[in-house]
C-alpha cells in the first residue's frame, strides 16, 4: 500500500487534479512583462561591467560572422547554430554588432525562459508574492555566466514543457510539444538537446510508475515527430547548405573532446586555503549547493513515486522541475566548475520553491520556510559574488585600477586592466600591420580579440585548446599562407585549468613550430604570458610607433 504523506490531511491528498488555464491575454502579458522586466533589469545593471575574451568573446565572434553571412561549423568552429542565428537576427534589427548588442541578444533570449517559468508557476497556482520571489532569484541566476544564458534558458523551457505534460499526461499533443522543445534545444546546443531528452525519460518513468502515463508507442511517436520538427532547421541546413554536413558530423565526433571532467566540489572536496571573506563563503556555499540540488530533486521525485495520491498543482510543478533538473545535472556535475554548475542547476529554484509552496499548503510550514530560505540563501551566496557588477565593485574597492574604462564598438565598459592592456596592444599591432581580414591570429585562446577588432580569423579553428592531428595543423598552416597572416598573438604554455597536456605547444606543435620559424618575436612580452610574432609585412614590430 502506498505510503501517505506525513502531516497532510486526507482532503489535501485526495484533492482532484485541477489545471489552471490562464489563457487570457492578461495572464500571458503578466508572464511576458514580468519576465522581460527581470531580464532587462539584470542586463541594465550589468552590461557595462567586464568582458571575458575567451568564452564570451567566442560567442560574440561567432555571432558577428553569422550576421555577415558565414555558416557555423562550415566556416568557423562553433557550438550549434541556434544561438548565433538568434544573435545575428538581433544584430540585424539593431543594425549594430557590438558587445553591447550581443549581451542584449542574450538577455532577450532569457525572457523566453523566464516568461514560460512564470507561466508554469501561474498555472500551478503559486501565489503572486512567491512567483515574484522565485522570478527574482532566477534573475540573479541568469546574471552569471552571461554567455551561457542559452543553456540556462533552455533548462527553464524544459521545466515549463514537462509541467505542461504533467498537467494532462494523456494528451498526446503535449508530448509532441515536449519533443519540439528537445529538437529546438538541440539546434541551440546538442548537449542541451540530450539533457532535455534525459529529462523527458525521467518524466515518462515517473508518470508510468504512478500509473498516469499514456501508451508508450503513441508517446514515443509524438516525441519523435516533435523532435524532428524542432530540429528541422538543422536538418534543412544539413540537406540544403553546401559544405555544411561534413564539418557538422566531424564536430559531432569531436564533441567528447570539448569538455573535461572536474571533481564535484562537495563540501568534503573543497579546499579553502588562500580564500578570504566573500570568496570563502561563496566556495562553501557552492559546495553545499552541490548537495542541496540533487537532494531536492530526489525528495520531490521520491515523494511522487511513493504515493499514488493525486499531486496538487505546486507539487506537480516541483516534480516536473526536478525531472528537468536531473537531465541538466549531468552538465553541471561533469565539468564541475562554477561556470558549468551555474548553468546546469537552474531548475533547482523552481523545484525547491514549488515544493516549499506545497509544504506550506499542507501545514508543514517550518519545513517549507527552511527549504525556501535555504534555497534562496544558496542562490544568493553562490551567484551574487560572481555577478559582473559585484566583481567589479569588489575589485575596485580592494585594488584600485584593477578595472579600467575601455570603449568597445562605441560603448563604454569597465574591463579588467589586464584584458584592456591585451586588447589595446592587439588593436595597435593589428592596425600597424594593415588591419585586414585574415591578417591576425590569436592562440590558443582569446577569440574575443577577433570580434573586438571586427576582423575574420585566418583559420576555421578559433579555440586551440584541444589536440589536433598533423593533417588539421597543416590545413591551418595552409590557411595562414593563403591569407598572408602577418601578426600572431600566442602563449605556447597557456593551459586551461592548469592542465599541462592542453598547452598550445603540446596540442598544436606543428603549427607552433611553423610560426616560430617563419615569424619574428616582438618584445616585450604581454600580460598573462602572451607574445606577439610578426612578419616583415608589418613594417615595424607590434607596439612600436
Amino acid at each position: 500500500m502506498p505510503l501517505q504523506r506525513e502531516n497532510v490531511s486526507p482532503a489535501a491528498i485526495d484533492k482532484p487534479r485541477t489545471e489552471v488555464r490562464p489563457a487570457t491575454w492578461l495572464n500571458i502579458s503578466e508572464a511576458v512583462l514580468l519576465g522581460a522586466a527581470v531580464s532587462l533589469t539584470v542586463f541594465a545593471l550589468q552590461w557595462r561591467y567586464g568582458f571575458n575574451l575567451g568564452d564570451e568573446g567566442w560567442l560574440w565572434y561567432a555571432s558577428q560572422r553569422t550576421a555577415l553571412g558565414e555558416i557555423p561549423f562550415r566556416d568557423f568552429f562553433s557550438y550549434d547554430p541556434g544561438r548565433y542565428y538568434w544573435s545575428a537576427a538581433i544584430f540585424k534589427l539593431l543594425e549594430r554588432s557590438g558587445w553591447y548588442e550581443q549581451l542584449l541578444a542574450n538577455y532577450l533570449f532569457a525572457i523566453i525562459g523566464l516568461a514560460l517559468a512564470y507561466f508554469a508557476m501561474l498555472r500551478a497556482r503559486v501565489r503572486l508574492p512567491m512567483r515574484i520571489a522565485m522570478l527574482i532569484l532566477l534573475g540573479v541566476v541568469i546574471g552569471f555566466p552571461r554567455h551561457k544564458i542559452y543553456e540556462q534558458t533552455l533548462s527553464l523551457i524544459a521545466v515549463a514543457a514537462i509541467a505542461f505534460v504533467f498537467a494532462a499526461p494523456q494528451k498526446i499533443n503535449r508530448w509532441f510539444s515536449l519533443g519540439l522543445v528537445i529538437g529546438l534545444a538541440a539546434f541551440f546546443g546538442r548537449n542541451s538537446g540530450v539533457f532535455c531528452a534525459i529529462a523527458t525519460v525521467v518524466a515518462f518513468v515517473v508518470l508510468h510508475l504512478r500509473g498516469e502515463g499514456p501508451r508508450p508507442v503513441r508517446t514515443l511517436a509524438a516525441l519523435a515527430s516533435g523532435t524532428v520538427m524542432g530540429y528541422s532547421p538543422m536538418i534543412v541546413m544539413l540537406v540544403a547548405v553546401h559544405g555544411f554536413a561534413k564539418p557538422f558530423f566531424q564536430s559531432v565526433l569531436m564533441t567528447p573532446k570539448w569538455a573535461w571532467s572536474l571533481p564535484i566540489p562537495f563540501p568534503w572536496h573543497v579546499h579553502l586555503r588562500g580564500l578570504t571573506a566573500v570568496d570563502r563563503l561563496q566556495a562553501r556555499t557552492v559546495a553545499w549547493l552541490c548537495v542541496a540540488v540533487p537532494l531536492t530533486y530526489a525528495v520531490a521525485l521520491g515523494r511522487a513515486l511513493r504515493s499514488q495520491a493525486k499531486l496538487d498543482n505546486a507539487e506537480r510543478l516541483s516534480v516536473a522541475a526536478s525531472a528537468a533538473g536531473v537531465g541538466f545535472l549531468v552538465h553541471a556535475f561533469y565539468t564541475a566548475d562554477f561556470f558549468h554548475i551555474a548553468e546546469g542547476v537552474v531548475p533547482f529554484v523552481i523545484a525547491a520553491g514549488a515544493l516549499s509552496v506545497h509544504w506550506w499548503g499542507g501545514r508543514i510550514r517550518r519545513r517549507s520556510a527552511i527549504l525556501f530560505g535555504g534555497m534562496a540563501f544558496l542562490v544568493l551566496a553562490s551567484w551574487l559574488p560572481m555577478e559582473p557588477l559585484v566583481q567589479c565593485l569588489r575589485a575596485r574597492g580592494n585594488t584600485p585600477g584593477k578595472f579600467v574604462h575601455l570603449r568597445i564598438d562605441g560603448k563604454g565598459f569597465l574591463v579588467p586592466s589586464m584584458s584592456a592592456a591585451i586588447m589595446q596592444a592587439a588593436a595597435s599591432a593589428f592596425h600597424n600591420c594593415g588591419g585586414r581580414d585574415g591578417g591576425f591570429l590569436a592562440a590558443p585562446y582569446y577569440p574575443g580579440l577577433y570580434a573586438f577588432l571586427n576582423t575574420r580569423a585566418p583559420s576555421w579553428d578559433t579555440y586551440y585548446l584541444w589536440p589536433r592531428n598533423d593533417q588539421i595543423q597543416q590545413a591551418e598552416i595552409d590557411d595562414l599562407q593563403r591569407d598572408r597572416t602577418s601578426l600572431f598573438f600566442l602563449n605556447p604554455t597557456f593551459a586551461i585549468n592548469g592542465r599541462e597536456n592542453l598547452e598550445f605547444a603540446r596540442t598544436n606543435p606543428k603549427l607552433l613550430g611553423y610560426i616560430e620559424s617563419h615569424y619574428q618575436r616582438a618584445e616585450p612580452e604581454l600580460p598573462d604570458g602572451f607574445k606577439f610574432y610578426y612578419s616583415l609585412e608589418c613594417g615595424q614590430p607590434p607596439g612600436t610607433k
Side-chain angles (χ1 to χ4, degrees), residues 34 95 106 124 127 167 183 262 267 303 401 456 481 483 488 514:
L34 288 177
E95 298 183 342
N106 297 351
R127 294 187 176 182
L262 293 174
R303 287 172 63 88
R456 174 182 58 78
Q481 294 172 342
D483 283 339
F488 298 84
Y514 172 81

Side-chain angles (χ1 to χ4, degrees), residues 64-65 68 75 141 143 166 382 414 452 471 525:
Q64 273 190 350
R65 304 319 301 177
L68 291 171
D75 299 325
V141 168
F166 269 44
S382 296
L414 276 170
F452 174 63
Q471 182 180 0
E525 292 188 2

Side-chain angles (χ1 to χ4, degrees), residues 49-50 387-397 403 414:
Y49 299 102
E387 304 284 336
L389 169 61
V390 176
Q391 289 201 49
C392 180
L393 293 177
R394 288 178 59 205
R396 295 184 79 187
F403 277 71
L414 276 170

Side-chain angles (χ1 to χ4, degrees), residues 20 22 24-39 110-139 153 155-161 163 317 321 346 349-350 354:
V20 179
T24 66
W25 284 110
L26 181 62
N27 299 128
I28 296 171
S29 298
E30 178 184 342
V32 173
L33 290 176
L34 288 177
V38 168
S39 184
I111 293 173
I112 300 171
L114 293 177
L116 287 174
Y118 186 90
F119 199 70
M121 289 186 269
L122 198 155
R123 298 179 76 98
R125 289 184 172 176
V126 176
R127 294 187 176 182
L128 179 62
M130 181 62 80
R131 296 200 303 267
I132 297 297
M134 292 166 67
L135 192 63
I136 290 172
L137 289 173
L138 289 173
T153 300
S155 70
L156 289 177
I157 295 172
V159 169
L317 176 59
V346 181
V349 175
I350 300 178

Side-chain angles (χ1 to χ4, degrees), residues 225-459:
S225 57
T227 300
V228 170
M229 182 67 70
Y231 203 56
S232 59
M234 183 70 85
I235 296 172
V236 169
M237 292 181 69
L238 288 168
V239 173
V241 177
H242 177 72
F244 176 76
K246 182 178 179 180
F248 170 77
F249 288 117
Q250 288 176 337
S251 76
V252 172
L253 297 177
M254 291 169 57
T255 299
K257 301 178 181 179
W258 287 9
W260 41 85
S261 61
L262 293 174
I264 301 170
F266 290 129
W268 48 90
H269 290 159
V270 172
H271 302 286
L272 301 175
R273 285 174 293 183
L275 298 179
T276 58
V278 175
D279 292 325
R280 181 180 290 267
L281 173 64
Q282 196 266 346
R284 287 187 184 276
T285 307
V286 171
W288 285 107
L289 180 75
C290 292
V291 175
V293 172
L295 183 61
T296 300
Y297 296 162
V299 169
L301 294 170
R303 287 172 63 88
L305 292 175
R306 286 199 307 270
S307 173
Q308 296 300 315
K310 297 291 186 182
L311 304 179
D312 67 28
N313 294 292
E315 188 175 20
R316 192 165 66 242
L317 176 59
S318 177
V319 174
S322 297
V326 167
F328 283 83
L329 205 58
V330 176
H331 193 45
F333 280 1
Y334 181 72
T335 306
D337 54 15
F338 189 61
F339 277 94
H340 293 86
I341 293 170
E343 70 184 85
V345 299
V346 181
F348 168 64
V349 175
I350 300 178
L355 185 57
S356 70
V357 170
H358 165 70
W359 279 343
W360 188 270
R363 305 296 179 181
I364 315 175
R365 295 194 170 178
R366 178 178 296 181
R367 188 185 300 177
S368 171
I370 291 172
L371 175 60
F372 186 80
M375 179 270 289
F377 172 76
L378 289 175
V379 168
L380 295 174
S382 296
W383 266 269
L384 283 179
M386 304 300 293
E387 304 284 336
L389 169 61
V390 176
Q391 289 201 49
C392 180
L393 293 177
R394 288 178 59 205
R396 295 184 79 187
N398 297 332
T399 312
K402 190 171 182 179
F403 277 71
V404 298
H405 289 275
L406 183 70
R407 295 196 71 79
I408 304 176
D409 278 282
K411 297 283 187 179
F413 289 83
L414 276 170
V415 177
S417 55
M418 186 179 73
S419 295
I422 289 171
M423 294 165 76
Q424 290 170 329
S428 175
F430 177 69
H431 293 300
N432 281 347
C433 288
R436 55 185 173 77
D437 274 357
F440 169 76
L441 181 138
Y445 207 40
Y446 291 169
L449 287 174
Y450 301 123
F452 174 63
L453 298 172
N454 287 301
T455 190
R456 174 182 58 78
S459 63

Side-chain angles (χ1 to χ4, degrees), residues 109 112-114 116-117 150-163 178 181 184-185 196 324 328:
F109 188 76
I112 300 171
L114 293 177
L116 287 174
Y150 296 91
E151 281 75 12
Q152 293 175 318
T153 300
L154 291 169
S155 70
L156 289 177
I157 295 172
V159 169
I162 293 175
L178 183 53
V181 168
L184 284 171
C196 284
F328 283 83

